[in-house]
Amino acid sequence: MPEKLKKMIGVLILVCSIGGVSCVGALGPSLDRITEGSSGSKAKVVK
Amino acid sequence: MNGPKRGGAKKYNPDDTRRMPQSRAFLLYLLPMPMLFLALWRMLGGNGGSAFGFAAGFALCMLAATLVRKGVGIESEAKRRKIVRRSSTVPYKVIGAGVLGVAIFLSALMGAGIPMFSSLMLGLASVVGCVFVYGTDPSRNSPDMSAIGVTSEEVLEILNEADTKILAIEAARDRIHNVELKDRLKNITKGVREIMGIVEDDPRDLRRARKFLRTYLDGAQRVTEGYADTHSYGDDGELEDNFRNVLGTIERVIEEQKGKLLENNLTELDVQIEVLQLQLEKEGV
């Protein structure tokens, strides 16, 4: 694998893994609410 | 109009042994920054476990970045000097990648609440990413220094000191206006760099070049700086003649040093250096 391509892939992996953890950490509660809402398991019935 | 002016663009010099720009593992310091804010945010929100996960992850990421940076620095120096530090037996980059993996695993699992398997995968991915970007540590294929009576740290220390002295001589040279003297000083620094190159190629020569690179080069630096300082107050014929004599002696000794290094003759050169030292003191430039 060419060195430059390897570095680019490495940077992409680092950005995705480190950035991903931060994103999930920041958006976690919001994501929970969305998934809970879409699954309907805890959806409230509005009369 | 007539060539580059002082303070303008610097001329390209392939022999310049000043520190090359190198990767500083900037990415590894930058990417985990949001974790610090997340730790504070979670702490203010009363979520202690998550705050601890992000704080521990952030601290470990900084440790990993520092280790990788040290590894990158050692590799860069090894490339520049052809000599690998003895301390590079510690694989800083690999350890840094491992610490980064643990940091990401911890912050994913405890901080972000990501399931165990996914956290493990994220940790492994960051290790792979780190190795892809920064590589692994260089192997020690330089001569075994302990077998020749000097350590690689000693060689690097003396070469770095010599580099500093050369830079000081070059800085003093810039303050001298006489073209002939400037050219001679340029040849002198070039000669010293050649001697440094010989030592880099075969560190055993350090035993012979140590005195030259430490004591004698120090004398050359002081004389040049002294002349540049005094010269700025006005021209003095006697001073200039003395300085010319000293430069001539320095040039001769550099040539002899190079020759002797190649011939592996120790004693005679030591005597000559001592004689030259006495002459430098006597000339009192």
Side-chain angles (χ1 to χ4, degrees):
Chain A
M1 195 188 296
E3 198 60 30
K4 204 167 181 180
L5 180 67
K6 199 172 154 185
K7 277 199 170 182
M8 280 169 69
I9 293 172
V11 170
L12 199 66
I13 293 173
L14 280 179
V15 170
C16 289
S17 58
I18 304 178
V21 171
S22 301
C23 281
V24 173
L27 301 172
S30 318
L31 288 173
D32 284 347
R33 277 196 292 276
I34 293 165
T35 48
E36 279 167 11
S38 63
S39 68
S41 58
K42 288 180 184 176
K44 287 178 183 173
V45 179
V46 181
K47 289 184 181 175
Chain B
M1 256 189 280
N2 301 324
K5 287 196 170 70
R6 199 166 293 119
K10 268 196 100 64
K11 201 164 72 174
Y12 171 67
N13 179 7
D15 294 329
D16 198 343
T17 52
R18 271 172 271 204
R19 290 186 187 289
M20 306 266 193
Q22 60 180 40
S23 165
R24 295 282 183 188
F26 181 63
L27 194 68
L28 290 183
Y29 283 106
L30 184 72
L31 284 175
M33 281 301 158
M35 286 187 197
L36 182 65
F37 298 107
L38 283 169
L40 292 170
W41 183 30
R42 290 295 162 89
M43 201 189 294
L44 291 172
N47 192 345
S50 178
F52 174 77
F54 278 123
F58 176 76
L60 286 173
C61 279
M62 291 299 108
L63 176 66
T66 308
L67 286 168
V68 171
R69 182 184 161 129
K70 192 169 169 77
V72 168
I74 286 172
E75 189 184 29
S76 163
E77 192 175 43
K79 274 182 190 163
R80 194 167 61 98
R81 288 278 186 224
K82 305 174 199 166
I83 297 168
V84 184
R85 265 185 200 280
R86 194 173 44 175
S87 55
S88 68
T89 46
V90 179
Y92 286 105
K93 285 204 257 181
V94 172
I95 294 175
V99 172
L100 182 71
V102 174
I104 298 305
F105 171 71
L106 266 183
S107 39
L109 187 70
M110 294 176 71
I114 297 172
M116 170 76 88
F117 182 73
S118 305
S119 300
L120 204 62
M121 287 297 110
L122 279 169
L124 281 175
S126 57
V127 172
V128 172
C130 188
V131 171
F132 271 25
V133 177
Y134 299 104
T136 48
D137 300 86
S139 61
R140 290 193 71 216
N141 50 9
S142 57
D144 189 2
M145 303 287 180
S146 57
I148 57 172
V150 287
T151 63
S152 51
E153 276 82 5
E154 206 176 351
V155 179
L156 288 170
E157 189 193 328
I158 290 172
L159 290 176
N160 287 338
E161 269 179 30
D163 248 351
T164 314
K165 286 168 193 168
I166 290 177
L167 291 179
I169 291 173
E170 284 175 343
R173 186 176 71 103
D174 286 343
R175 288 187 281 137
I176 296 170
H177 306 300
N178 186 316
V179 179
E180 179 219 333
L181 297 178
K182 277 169 92 95
D183 283 348
R184 289 178 74 177
L185 280 167
K186 190 178 177 183
N187 286 335
I188 284 171
T189 50
K190 192 179 165 198
V192 175
R193 285 201 170 103
E194 281 170 17
I195 289 171
M196 288 167 69
I198 295 172
V199 173
E200 277 178 37
D201 287 337
D202 185 1
R204 276 173 297 192
D205 284 326
L206 184 72
R207 285 181 297 140
R208 285 173 286 277
R210 192 196 310 257
K211 199 164 187 177
F212 173 82
L213 291 174
R214 277 222 157 125
T215 319
Y216 180 64
L217 192 57
D218 197 44
Q221 180 198 337
R222 275 188 283 113
V223 167
T224 312
E225 284 179 335
Y227 176 77
D229 289 342
T230 328
H231 177 77
S232 60
Y233 296 119
D235 284 338
D236 182 339
E238 194 185 345
L239 180 74
E240 204 156 296
D241 287 344
N242 279 349
F243 189 58
R244 269 204 185 87
N245 287 342
V246 169
L247 287 186
T249 317
I250 293 171
E251 284 162 350
R252 199 172 64 245
V253 167
I254 285 174
E255 285 308 311
E256 284 170 6
Q257 174 81 70
K258 277 195 282 185
K260 297 291 177 191
L261 281 178
L262 298 172
E263 284 171 22
N264 287 348
N265 190 335
L266 173 62
T267 324
E268 195 186 335
L269 186 68
D270 268 357
V271 172
Q272 281 176 0
I273 286 174
E274 273 164 25
V275 169
L276 183 66
Q277 268 181 303
L278 286 172
Q279 191 190 342
L280 281 171
E281 284 166 17
K282 197 178 158 190
E283 296 278 2
V285 181

